[in-house]
Amino acid sequence: MLSINCLLSVVLTYLINSVPRVHAQDDNPPGFLSIDCGLPEGSDYTVSTTGIYYKSDSDLIDSGKSMSLLPALIGSSSEKYFSTVRSFPQGKKNCYTIQPSAGKGNKYLIRASFMYGNYDSLDQSPTFDLNLGADTWSKIVFEDSSKVVRKEIIHILSSDYIHVCLINTDTGTPFISALELRPLNNSNSMYKIDSGSLQTISRVDFVSVRGNGVIRYPKDIYDRRWVSLNLTNTGLGTMLDISNGNIYLVPKDVLRTASTTENIKDPLNFYWDTTSTSDLIYIYMHFAEVEKLGANQLREFNVYLNDKLWSHQPIVPGYLSVWTVYPETPETGNTRYAVKINKTERSTLPPIINGYEVYAAKKFSESGTNETDVSAILNIKSAYKVIKNWQGDPCEPEDFVWDGLKCSYHSSDHSARIISLNLSTSGLTGEIVPCIVNLTQLETLDLSNNNLSGQIPGFLSQLALLSVLNLKGNNFTGPVPPQLLENKEKGILSLSIDDNHGNNTNIEKKSNMSTPVVVGSVVSVVLLLAAIAFGIWRMRGRVFKKSGKLLQVNRSDLERKNRHFTYSQVVDITRNFQRVLGEGGFGRVYHGYVGNDQVAVKMLSPSSTQGYREFQTEASLLMRIHHKNLTSLVGYCNEGTNMGIIYEYMANQSLDEYLSGKSYGIFSWEIRLQMALDAAQGLEYLHHGCKPAIIHRDVKTSNILLNEQFQAKLADFGLSKAYPAEGGTHVSTVVAGTPGYIDPDYENSKRLTEKSDVFSFGVVLLVMITGRPPILRNEDRTHIAQWVDFIVKNGNVTEAVDPRFGGKFDVNSVWKAVELALTCTSRNSTRRPTMNMVVIILKECLAIEISRHDAYPYDSTEMFSTDPERSLVPRVR
Ligand SMILES: *[C@@H]1O[C@H](CO)[C@@H](O)[C@H](O)[C@H]1NC(C)=O
Ligand SMILES: *[C@@H]1O[C@H](CO)[C@@H](O)[C@H](O)[C@H]1NC(C)=O
Ligand SMILES: *[C@@H]1O[C@H](CO)[C@@H](O)[C@H](O)[C@H]1NC(C)=O
Ligand SMILES: *[C@@H]1O[C@H](CO)[C@@H](O)[C@H](O)[C@H]1NC(C)=O
Ligand SMILES: *[C@@H]1O[C@H](CO)[C@@H](O)[C@H](O)[C@H]1NC(C)=O
Ligand SMILES: *[C@@H]1O[C@H](CO)[C@@H](O)[C@H](O)[C@H]1NC(C)=O
Ligand SMILES: *[C@@H]1O[C@H](CO)[C@@H](O)[C@H](O)[C@H]1NC(C)=O
Ligand SMILES: *[C@@H]1O[C@H](CO)[C@@H](O)[C@H](O)[C@H]1NC(C)=O
Ligand SMILES: *[C@@H]1O[C@H](CO)[C@@H](O)[C@H](O)[C@H]1NC(C)=O
């Protein structure tokens, strides 16, 4: 037997590009991709009965081994592709990565087929998982070794790549026999999939006595497999041409035959089972009259599903013409669905049915790694013939991230991004490939200890976020590109190159005179002074509150240096920056622990000077402000280019995410009001409790964070400005903020006052009341304040209220909040209330809503019941 490594290198020799686009000859019929897994390279074939071209999988996968079944075990009628399998004795996850000819957004029928056939002579059918991308598609279980298992799905590609993966669940060796992709009509009227993809449960061709086995391509141009069912022993059929002219293009041979009943009074009965009562079931029934009826004959019937009328109108199939019946909404709530078709009173003929299809909706996560990143990393993989278990999606699922990669999962479009690539000591040869620059989010690139040669390419400086570049232990020639040196000088790039490389030995020396360090020193003076004034008691209060063991951070160390953390402590705290919580213009936020307390660590990305300034602002502000509704500072790190701020951890992310609907308690007006009040109190403190007053400048739902108890706290003080102490009543600044939340008055006048925050807060309140974004996604991109104002002026305020409250709120409470929000968003800033006033009114709104609960049975959640600190929060009685 070939060893896996030997086999790998054989495969790699043929590897030109690890994900070849479908070649012309593979694409037969056009758009089809048919892979015979385990088929040896060079034995591709065309099946004579269908004309479908099946190709070997050897250039699509670089793991697993090809195995053959004993011919005796393969049924004579079976497809040829069952005679070999690709088996995966090694690795927990093995994947086919396919780039179909029609990419993202296209609708495909994807079919995976399996037949064990005792190929490994172990006589033990394995059980394993089949994944599509990051999600489980299905569990593969065999009834017996000669049974075929087919999994089929109708799926709209969420990326240009499809990753079909086999997951070892420690119950035998995963394998696969064949993988088939068939493009469908993209029109939304063919298999409308609102609730996810559609997994085939069954697809039946009712046959007459003729009997015709399985119908597929070319009779079905989409190569759906129609299994014949001899339902009643009584069938009808026609040899005449029949019209299958609706979008489903049901094969004519399926329509030509139908089942009926012998006794005209009897209903037609059949059923299918699903795995779970929560499955959403989509049913398509196809009817066509195959008998020429006399003038006084009528065939009319109704369809009942679990004894409930399912067809909205009596069905009279058209002569030699298809009628497809399907509901707009899926069925759910049962595991058995029994169909009864009985004739109507006046019908003179028994019911018929020609075919049906049943699917269960399945949601796949839309995410996956950004395609540009996938394409770049696949190019890197093939260019360097990387032999690692690089399979499937590079970043997802999170516990299968490719070796040597780190990813961030919080980019704006929700696709994962590659932020670190470590190919140290991986035997790489040749030059640095240009596609690396397509990993635009890369922060760390470690190519050390390989045998790379050629020039160090200048394009590396296009990686705007790159802060660590290690090229040591290679064989580069020529000078180091000036831009990289400059970045190093600026202190935004930690560059490691061999000492003996060219004439640039000196660049290894640490330059302590670089600009950012000077900025850093200023910051640290500010920070230290502030720390002395405010720091130590808080340190005790917060970091050591739970007084547990400090994890790798020495307690006396912390106390001596106040809240200052060294970079290596930050590395420990974040467990080497393992978990990214989010990111913004400044850089990324990581999860970590100080002692037993969870913290969020915001690291400044070295790419912008604006970032430094904001960072500095934020750090020094946080030093002097303390309020239960402002995120509090745990410490900071200021070591050369490594600048970070460590905050208390806010377990429930932001109000923005909360409102997007994944959290518990989203349906309660009362809970939202409490959050609004929390945020208002934080802002009130900044405006009226601080001297000089502080203008936040970026109040928005994503800057209001929620802790474990869903207590809201204002965060992100990077844009904040201290109000001039005496004298002026405003500050002139460059306009900053977030569209939709920016005060238009400020935008025009450039005069910043605390009333700009009040405007933004009003927008936040409107977003919380309506559940809509600040700028509506309609054609006119109406601002939410205008929209609510319009609705209020035209009558019923409840029309503007988030429908997810289900009408459960006190109208007066909502009225008051809407009025408040509209006053806050007045164009004329002098008409806007102060935050003192806002807090008072919100307390009133909350009191009204709470008294509603006193009057009606409590209908909210219990999630706050354990928090003793929150006096205003409703208690479960
Ligand atoms: C898809 O369906 C639409 C609507 O019936 C039809 O106009 C179009 O020609 C179909 N496209 C293909 C490629 O079959
Ligand atoms: C259907 O059943 C009848 C009676 O059992 C049999 O004669 C006929 O061949 C069957 N047809 C098919 C297609 O199996
Ligand atoms: C048709 O089926 C429904 C539901 O089972 C039943 O109530 C009704 O009596 C049936 N009608 C006829 C004519 O068989
Ligand atoms: C993937 O990343 C590229 C480069 O940063 C970007 O242009 C593109 O919009 C991203 N793709 C998606 C789907 O967001
Ligand atoms: C890359 O991985 C090697 C070990 O495989 C490790 O020693 C090195 O520190 C890593 N580089 C980075 C930048 O994390
Ligand atoms: C980078 O990505 C773009 C778009 O995805 C592609 O056109 C280009 O060829 C890629 N560049 C390299 C060097 O691979
Ligand atoms: C490194 O590459 C050079 C030329 O590309 C080759 O001559 C040399 O043998 C390689 N060294 C190692 C250790 O692979
Ligand atoms: C470095 O590259 C040169 C020329 O490309 C080659 O002669 C030499 O063997 C290489 N050195 C090592 C250590 O691979
Ligand atoms: C190093 O500098 C010398 C003189 O400035 C120059 O002649 C030589 O080519 C340089 N070597 C490299 C590898 O750049």
Side-chain angles (χ1 to χ4, degrees):
M1 216 190 318
L2 281 170
S3 83
I4 182 98
N5 276 340
C6 171
L7 190 102
L8 268 181
S9 56
V10 170
V11 170
L12 286 169
T13 316
Y14 290 100
L15 211 65
I16 301 154
N17 183 334
S18 64
V19 185
R21 275 200 173 263
V22 174
H23 302 304
Q25 78 271 18
D26 304 348
D27 204 4
N28 194 19
F32 281 33
L33 178 60
S34 313
I35 301 162
D36 183 343
C37 304
L39 183 72
E41 172 86 28
S43 344
D44 301 357
Y45 57 89
T46 298
V47 175
S48 58
T49 49
T50 60
I52 297 177
Y53 179 85
Y54 283 84
K55 67 193 289 280
S56 156
D57 60 350
S58 57
D59 63 347
L60 287 165
I61 193 151
D62 49 18
S63 62
K65 51 183 179 175
S66 166
M67 301 287 280
S68 299
L69 275 66
L70 289 174
L73 286 169
I74 308 164
S76 54
S77 62
S78 292
E79 329 274 346
K80 179 171 155 91
Y81 56 62
F82 284 121
S83 51
T84 57
V85 300
R86 182 167 295 272
S87 150
F88 301 96
Q90 294 189 338
K92 183 147 174 63
K93 169 177 131 176
N94 286 277
C95 300
Y96 286 87
T97 294
I98 296 160
Q99 192 180 12
S101 44
K104 187 171 177 166
N106 286 285
K107 197 185 291 177
Y108 271 89
L109 180 81
I110 307 171
R111 182 161 53 220
S113 306
F114 308 84
M115 183 169 123
Y116 171 57
N118 196 20
Y119 75 86
D120 54 4
S121 309
L122 294 175
D123 226 348
Q124 175 95 50
S125 310
T127 300
F128 50 91
D129 283 352
L130 176 66
N131 273 30
L132 188 64
D135 304 273
T136 305
W137 167 358
S138 187
K139 206 163 197 51
I140 306 298
V141 182
F142 298 90
E143 259 171 54
D144 70 59
S145 73
S146 60
K147 278 267 160 48
V148 166
V149 171
R150 283 196 176 84
K151 295 294 167 184
E152 199 182 85
I153 199 159
I154 293 173
H155 181 67
I156 296 177
L157 305 193
S158 60
S159 145
D160 289 340
Y161 295 92
I162 299 176
H163 307 283
V164 175
C165 304
L166 299 147
I167 311 291
N168 191 324
T169 53
D170 296 325
T171 41
T173 300
F175 72 90
I176 183 167
S177 305
L179 193 53
E180 299 167 297
L181 265 71
R182 313 294 184 229
L184 299 177
N185 191 318
N186 280 330
S187 160
N188 194 32
S189 40
M190 184 188 196
Y191 304 118
K192 203 163 150 208
I193 30 189
D194 300 330
S195 334
S197 304
L198 296 180
Q199 288 209 75
T200 310
I201 295 180
S202 77
R203 187 181 295 114
V204 164
D205 168 24
F206 288 103
V207 292
S208 63
V209 287
R210 274 191 307 124
N212 35 16
V214 171
I215 290 184
R216 58 175 295 196
Y217 191 84
K219 286 178 172 164
D220 186 323
I221 68 153
Y222 296 120
D223 197 25
R224 290 163 293 193
R225 297 176 56 90
W226 300 82
V227 178
S228 58
L229 182 65
N230 194 0
L231 186 63
T232 53
N233 213 348
T234 313
L236 300 173
T238 179
M239 295 305 286
L240 296 174
D241 191 28
I242 198 161
S243 158
N244 62 349
N246 69 19
I247 194 159
Y248 295 95
L249 293 175
V250 176
K252 292 184 174 186
D253 276 9
V254 170
L255 297 176
R256 277 198 184 101
T257 58
S259 278
T260 183
T261 56
E262 256 167 309
N263 184 339
I264 174 172
K265 288 250 159 75
D266 286 347
L268 273 166
N269 290 303
F270 55 94
Y271 70 86
W272 59 85
D273 290 329
T274 66
T275 48
S276 153
T277 53
S278 60
D279 283 349
L280 299 177
I281 304 299
Y282 287 83
I283 305 159
Y284 300 84
M285 292 190 188
H286 307 288
F287 302 97
E289 182 58 78
V290 291
E291 287 186 326
K292 181 97 189 119
L293 305 189
N296 52 0
Q297 282 183 307
L298 172 70
R299 192 191 307 280
E300 187 184 63
F301 49 83
N302 285 308
V303 180
Y304 296 83
L305 189 68
N306 290 349
D307 290 329
K308 286 217 303 275
L309 185 64
W310 181 76
S311 48
H312 290 301
Q313 60 187 109
I315 295 163
V316 183
Y319 182 51
L320 300 181
S321 165
V322 66
W323 183 351
T324 297
V325 178
Y326 59 94
E328 288 296 325
T329 50
E331 304 292 333
T332 187
N334 296 291
T335 51
R336 172 159 295 184
Y337 291 87
V339 175
K340 191 179 281 179
I341 307 181
N342 53 14
K343 75 171 201 71
T344 60
E345 212 50 46
R346 60 182 184 147
S347 178
T348 63
L349 293 166
I352 59 166
I353 182 164
N354 309 57
Y356 75 83
E357 296 166 80
V358 181
Y359 301 92
K362 170 142 186 81
K363 267 246 182 293
F364 287 97
S365 57
E366 291 277 302
S367 47
T369 308
N370 172 302
E371 291 107 70
T372 312
D373 283 5
V374 174
S375 150
I377 198 75
L378 287 171
N379 275 325
I380 291 165
K381 177 183 172 185
S382 70
Y384 294 123
K385 310 195 184 338
V386 174
I387 300 181
K388 285 183 192 269
N389 193 21
W390 279 14
Q391 301 261 356
D393 189 281
C395 297
E396 292 198 339
E398 268 185 75
D399 40 350
F400 279 113
V401 173
W402 288 6
D403 267 1
L405 256 54
K406 278 185 195 161
C407 304
S408 133
Y409 298 91
H410 293 269
S411 77
S412 48
D413 65 350
H414 298 294
S415 63
R417 303 300 303 258
I418 296 170
I419 60 168
S420 171
L421 173 60
N422 188 349
L423 283 171
S424 167
T425 327
S426 301
L428 312 188
T429 56
E431 302 195 349
I432 294 183
V433 288
C435 55
I436 282 187
V437 303
N438 269 1
L439 297 174
T440 54
Q441 301 294 304
L442 213 56
E443 292 175 359
T444 302
L445 177 59
D446 189 342
L447 298 173
S448 59
N449 301 319
N450 287 297
N451 190 10
L452 292 167
S453 53
Q455 302 239 341
I456 297 173
F459 56 67
L460 289 178
S461 62
Q462 290 170 29
L463 291 167
L465 300 176
L466 195 66
S467 57
V468 175
L469 176 59
N470 190 349
L471 301 174
K472 273 192 181 215
N474 283 291
N475 194 6
F476 292 114
T477 50
V480 179
Q483 187 63 48
L484 289 179
L485 290 174
E486 202 177 296
N487 288 349
K488 187 187 166 65
E489 286 296 313
K490 281 199 220 145
I492 62 178
L493 178 67
S494 152
L495 178 65
S496 312
I497 300 184
D498 290 327
D499 286 345
N500 60 359
H501 175 81
N503 286 344
N504 297 306
T505 16
N506 57 338
I507 62 161
E508 266 311 292
K509 293 190 190 120
K510 282 238 155 67
S511 159
N512 284 327
M513 292 307 292
S514 56
T515 351
V517 180
V518 174
V519 174
S521 321
V522 174
V523 176
S524 66
V525 170
V526 174
L527 290 180
L528 282 173
L529 284 176
I532 290 161
F534 297 98
I536 299 162
W537 65 271
R538 258 193 89 67
M539 188 68 196
R540 291 221 170 88
R542 187 151 293 274
V543 180
F544 300 114
K545 193 163 63 188
K546 290 182 184 160
S547 81
K549 293 165 283 168
L550 277 179
L551 194 110
Q552 296 174 359
V553 179
N554 185 304
R555 176 178 177 146
S556 60
D557 228 35
L558 276 178
E559 282 181 337
R560 196 171 58 245
K561 290 181 186 160
N562 302 314
R563 282 183 276 184
H564 183 256
F565 289 76
T566 64
Y567 183 66
S568 69
Q569 281 174 323
V570 170
V571 171
D572 286 343
I573 288 171
T574 58
R575 313 241 158 99
N576 199 16
F577 304 104
Q578 225 167 31
R579 205 174 127 201
V580 178
L581 293 172
E583 64 181 304
F586 50 84
R588 291 206 164 84
V589 181
Y590 299 89
H591 180 262
Y593 286 93
V594 172
N596 289 331
D597 287 326
Q598 298 189 69
V599 293
V601 181
K602 181 163 155 182
M603 293 303 292
L604 177 60
S605 134
S607 54
S608 80
T609 47
Q610 174 77 12
Y612 276 100
R613 211 163 52 231
E614 290 173 7
F615 224 66
Q616 185 185 358
T617 309
E618 176 152 27
S620 53
L621 271 180
L622 279 171
M623 283 291 182
R624 65 188 182 95
I625 54 180
H626 313 288
H627 188 272
K628 67 179 166 65
N629 297 120
L630 301 176
T631 49
S632 60
L633 184 72
V634 173
Y636 61 90
C637 165
N638 178 25
E639 208 176 274
T641 61
N642 297 313
M643 294 187 63
I645 303 183
I646 303 165
Y647 311 84
E648 66 176 314
Y649 175 63
M650 300 295 281
N652 281 305
Q653 299 179 298
S654 69
L655 182 56
D656 187 34
E657 272 147 330
Y658 174 84
L659 289 176
S660 75
K662 282 161 213 140
S663 286
Y664 201 41
I666 180 82
F667 308 115
S668 160
W669 168 234
E670 185 172 339
I671 289 168
R672 274 197 225 178
L673 256 181
Q674 178 62 56
M675 290 174 179
L677 179 60
D678 284 342
Q681 284 171 332
L683 204 50
E684 181 193 29
Y685 171 79
L686 290 179
H687 290 179
H688 307 293
C690 295
K691 287 224 164 9
I694 292 163
I695 303 174
H696 185 284
R697 290 219 294 166
D698 204 10
V699 175
K700 56 179 173 182
T701 50
S702 56
N703 279 342
I704 296 170
L705 304 183
L706 302 172
N707 70 8
E708 214 164 352
Q709 285 82 38
F710 287 87
Q711 184 178 21
K713 302 190 180 205
L714 207 49
D716 208 334
F717 302 91
L719 291 177
S720 303
K721 281 263 186 272
Y723 209 75
E726 312 293 338
T729 54
H730 71 272
V731 276
S732 278
T733 58
V734 179
V735 176
T738 304
Y741 291 96
I742 308 182
D743 171 12
D745 209 25
Y746 161 51
E747 223 173 349
N748 295 334
S749 66
K750 313 274 184 294
R751 291 156 58 96
L752 182 67
T753 73
E754 85 278 21
K755 290 292 178 69
S756 304
D757 280 351
V758 175
F759 179 92
S760 309
F761 183 79
V763 176
V764 168
L765 196 51
L766 288 173
V767 169
M768 295 178 82
I769 294 169
T770 61
R772 286 165 202 265
I775 295 173
L776 300 188
R777 296 192 190 93
N778 58 11
E779 227 170 87
D780 302 334
R781 304 192 47 75
T782 318
H783 191 271
I784 193 165
Q786 282 173 301
W787 181 74
V788 173
D789 192 44
F790 177 81
I791 287 182
V792 167
K793 287 205 174 105
N794 281 280
N796 194 354
V797 69
T798 54
E799 270 173 40
V801 176
D802 192 336
R804 288 175 296 177
F805 294 144
K808 288 187 191 152
F809 51 81
D810 186 291
V811 177
N812 291 324
S813 170
V814 168
W815 251 120
K816 222 176 168 63
V818 168
E819 275 178 344
L820 172 65
L822 290 177
T823 329
C824 289
T825 51
S826 302
R827 296 218 40 120
N828 182 344
S829 62
T830 56
R831 295 189 49 205
R832 297 176 200 153
T834 61
M835 283 314 293
N836 281 333
M837 201 61 212
V838 171
V839 167
I840 291 169
I841 295 173
L842 282 176
K843 281 183 177 165
E844 289 172 13
C845 294
L846 190 58
I848 297 172
E849 180 62 17
I850 289 175
S851 61
R852 182 181 80 92
H853 280 311
D854 288 338
Y856 300 97
Y858 197 80
D859 57 18
S860 193
T861 68
E862 288 190 31
M863 65 192 215
F864 292 146
S865 61
T866 53
D867 182 9
E869 277 175 31
R870 310 203 59 188
S871 55
L872 280 167
V873 155
R875 304 246 179 271
V876 180
R877 287 152 240 245

mmCIF file of all heavy atoms in Angstrom, residues 230-246:
data_model
loop_
_atom_site.group_PDB
_atom_site.id
_atom_site.type_symbol
_atom_site.label_atom_id
_atom_site.label_comp_id
_atom_site.label_asym_id
_atom_site.label_seq_id
_atom_site.Cartn_x
_atom_site.Cartn_y
_atom_site.Cartn_z
ATOM 1 N N ASN A 230 -44.721 2.137 -7.237
ATOM 2 C CA ASN A 230 -45.873 1.392 -7.726
ATOM 3 C C ASN A 230 -46.894 1.425 -6.595
ATOM 4 O O ASN A 230 -46.967 0.534 -5.778
ATOM 5 C CB ASN A 230 -45.397 -0.038 -8.009
ATOM 6 C CG ASN A 230 -46.386 -0.824 -8.824
ATOM 7 O OD1 ASN A 230 -47.439 -0.309 -9.182
ATOM 8 N ND2 ASN A 230 -46.054 -2.070 -9.093
ATOM 9 N N LEU A 231 -47.656 2.474 -6.528
ATOM 10 C CA LEU A 231 -48.404 2.771 -5.316
ATOM 11 C C LEU A 231 -49.584 1.845 -5.121
ATOM 12 O O LEU A 231 -49.767 1.263 -4.072
ATOM 13 C CB LEU A 231 -48.876 4.227 -5.379
ATOM 14 C CG LEU A 231 -49.553 4.764 -4.140
ATOM 15 C CD1 LEU A 231 -48.601 4.762 -2.967
ATOM 16 C CD2 LEU A 231 -50.059 6.170 -4.399
ATOM 17 N N THR A 232 -50.420 1.743 -6.129
ATOM 18 C CA THR A 232 -51.706 1.101 -5.925
ATOM 19 C C THR A 232 -51.921 -0.101 -6.797
ATOM 20 O O THR A 232 -52.963 -0.736 -6.725
ATOM 21 C CB THR A 232 -52.829 2.078 -6.273
ATOM 22 O OG1 THR A 232 -52.568 2.563 -7.585
ATOM 23 C CG2 THR A 232 -52.882 3.192 -5.290
ATOM 24 N N ASN A 233 -50.922 -0.386 -7.630
ATOM 25 C CA ASN A 233 -51.204 -1.523 -8.459
ATOM 26 C C ASN A 233 -52.104 -1.138 -9.632
ATOM 27 O O ASN A 233 -52.346 -1.919 -10.519
ATOM 28 C CB ASN A 233 -51.931 -2.567 -7.612
ATOM 29 C CG ASN A 233 -51.577 -3.940 -8.035
ATOM 30 O OD1 ASN A 233 -50.966 -4.102 -9.086
ATOM 31 N ND2 ASN A 233 -51.938 -4.907 -7.226
ATOM 32 N N THR A 234 -52.614 0.064 -9.587
ATOM 33 C CA THR A 234 -53.463 0.511 -10.677
ATOM 34 C C THR A 234 -52.847 1.773 -11.218
ATOM 35 O O THR A 234 -52.688 2.742 -10.487
ATOM 36 C CB THR A 234 -54.878 0.848 -10.174
ATOM 37 O OG1 THR A 234 -55.294 -0.219 -9.338
ATOM 38 C CG2 THR A 234 -55.825 1.049 -11.320
ATOM 39 N N GLY A 235 -52.479 1.723 -12.450
ATOM 40 C CA GLY A 235 -51.831 2.907 -12.994
ATOM 41 C C GLY A 235 -52.433 3.312 -14.312
ATOM 42 O O GLY A 235 -53.195 2.574 -14.930
ATOM 43 N N LEU A 236 -52.108 4.522 -14.700
ATOM 44 C CA LEU A 236 -52.528 5.046 -15.991
ATOM 45 C C LEU A 236 -51.284 5.496 -16.711
ATOM 46 O O LEU A 236 -50.277 5.815 -16.094
ATOM 47 C CB LEU A 236 -53.438 6.262 -15.797
ATOM 48 C CG LEU A 236 -54.732 6.058 -15.017
ATOM 49 C CD1 LEU A 236 -55.389 7.400 -14.789
ATOM 50 C CD2 LEU A 236 -55.647 5.109 -15.764
ATOM 51 N N GLY A 237 -51.376 5.535 -18.008
ATOM 52 C CA GLY A 237 -50.219 6.022 -18.730
ATOM 53 C C GLY A 237 -50.598 6.424 -20.132
ATOM 54 O O GLY A 237 -51.683 6.094 -20.619
ATOM 55 N N THR A 238 -49.714 7.184 -20.758
ATOM 56 C CA THR A 238 -49.937 7.572 -22.148
ATOM 57 C C THR A 238 -48.601 7.566 -22.853
ATOM 58 O O THR A 238 -47.557 7.765 -22.226
ATOM 59 C CB THR A 238 -50.591 8.965 -22.242
ATOM 60 O OG1 THR A 238 -50.751 9.281 -23.613
ATOM 61 C CG2 THR A 238 -49.714 10.037 -21.599
ATOM 62 N N MET A 239 -48.623 7.318 -24.143
ATOM 63 C CA MET A 239 -47.400 7.420 -24.910
ATOM 64 C C MET A 239 -47.374 8.738 -25.693
ATOM 65 O O MET A 239 -46.407 9.027 -26.377
ATOM 66 C CB MET A 239 -47.287 6.243 -25.898
ATOM 67 C CG MET A 239 -47.143 4.893 -25.212
ATOM 68 S SD MET A 239 -45.751 4.867 -24.055
ATOM 69 C CE MET A 239 -44.402 4.793 -25.232
ATOM 70 N N LEU A 240 -48.423 9.525 -25.543
ATOM 71 C CA LEU A 240 -48.499 10.775 -26.294
ATOM 72 C C LEU A 240 -47.528 11.810 -25.726
ATOM 73 O O LEU A 240 -47.067 11.690 -24.589
ATOM 74 C CB LEU A 240 -49.929 11.327 -26.232
ATOM 75 C CG LEU A 240 -50.993 10.457 -26.884
ATOM 76 C CD1 LEU A 240 -52.377 11.027 -26.639
ATOM 77 C CD2 LEU A 240 -50.720 10.331 -28.386
ATOM 78 N N ASP A 241 -47.259 12.801 -26.527
ATOM 79 C CA ASP A 241 -46.383 13.873 -26.038
ATOM 80 C C ASP A 241 -47.129 14.640 -24.959
ATOM 81 O O ASP A 241 -48.344 14.784 -25.005
ATOM 82 C CB ASP A 241 -45.998 14.811 -27.186
ATOM 83 C CG ASP A 241 -44.889 15.761 -26.751
ATOM 84 O OD1 ASP A 241 -44.100 15.382 -25.849
ATOM 85 O OD2 ASP A 241 -44.818 16.879 -27.292
ATOM 86 N N ILE A 242 -46.386 15.129 -24.002
ATOM 87 C CA ILE A 242 -47.012 15.787 -22.867
ATOM 88 C C ILE A 242 -46.259 17.085 -22.598
ATOM 89 O O ILE A 242 -45.046 17.151 -22.820
ATOM 90 C CB ILE A 242 -47.005 14.815 -21.660
ATOM 91 C CG1 ILE A 242 -48.009 15.231 -20.594
ATOM 92 C CG2 ILE A 242 -45.633 14.666 -21.058
ATOM 93 C CD1 ILE A 242 -48.347 14.080 -19.641
ATOM 94 N N SER A 243 -46.948 18.093 -22.163
ATOM 95 C CA SER A 243 -46.266 19.374 -21.949
ATOM 96 C C SER A 243 -45.797 19.498 -20.504
ATOM 97 O O SER A 243 -46.587 19.411 -19.578
ATOM 98 C CB SER A 243 -47.218 20.531 -22.276
ATOM 99 O OG SER A 243 -46.777 21.687 -21.605
ATOM 100 N N ASN A 244 -44.471 19.670 -20.348
ATOM 101 C CA ASN A 244 -43.933 19.851 -18.994
ATOM 102 C C ASN A 244 -43.490 21.304 -18.819
ATOM 103 O O ASN A 244 -42.507 21.606 -18.191
ATOM 104 C CB ASN A 244 -42.760 18.896 -18.747
ATOM 105 C CG ASN A 244 -41.601 19.147 -19.682
ATOM 106 O OD1 ASN A 244 -41.730 19.892 -20.654
ATOM 107 N ND2 ASN A 244 -40.466 18.540 -19.391
ATOM 108 N N GLY A 245 -44.255 22.204 -19.413
ATOM 109 C CA GLY A 245 -43.808 23.573 -19.640
ATOM 110 C C GLY A 245 -43.695 24.495 -18.445
ATOM 111 O O GLY A 245 -43.464 25.670 -18.647
ATOM 112 N N ASN A 246 -43.868 24.048 -17.210
ATOM 113 C CA ASN A 246 -43.608 25.029 -16.142
ATOM 114 C C ASN A 246 -42.132 25.010 -15.766
ATOM 115 O O ASN A 246 -41.344 24.223 -16.287
ATOM 116 C CB ASN A 246 -44.552 24.834 -14.951
ATOM 117 C CG ASN A 246 -44.294 23.564 -14.165
ATOM 118 O OD1 ASN A 246 -43.212 22.983 -14.262
ATOM 119 N ND2 ASN A 246 -45.281 23.139 -13.393
#
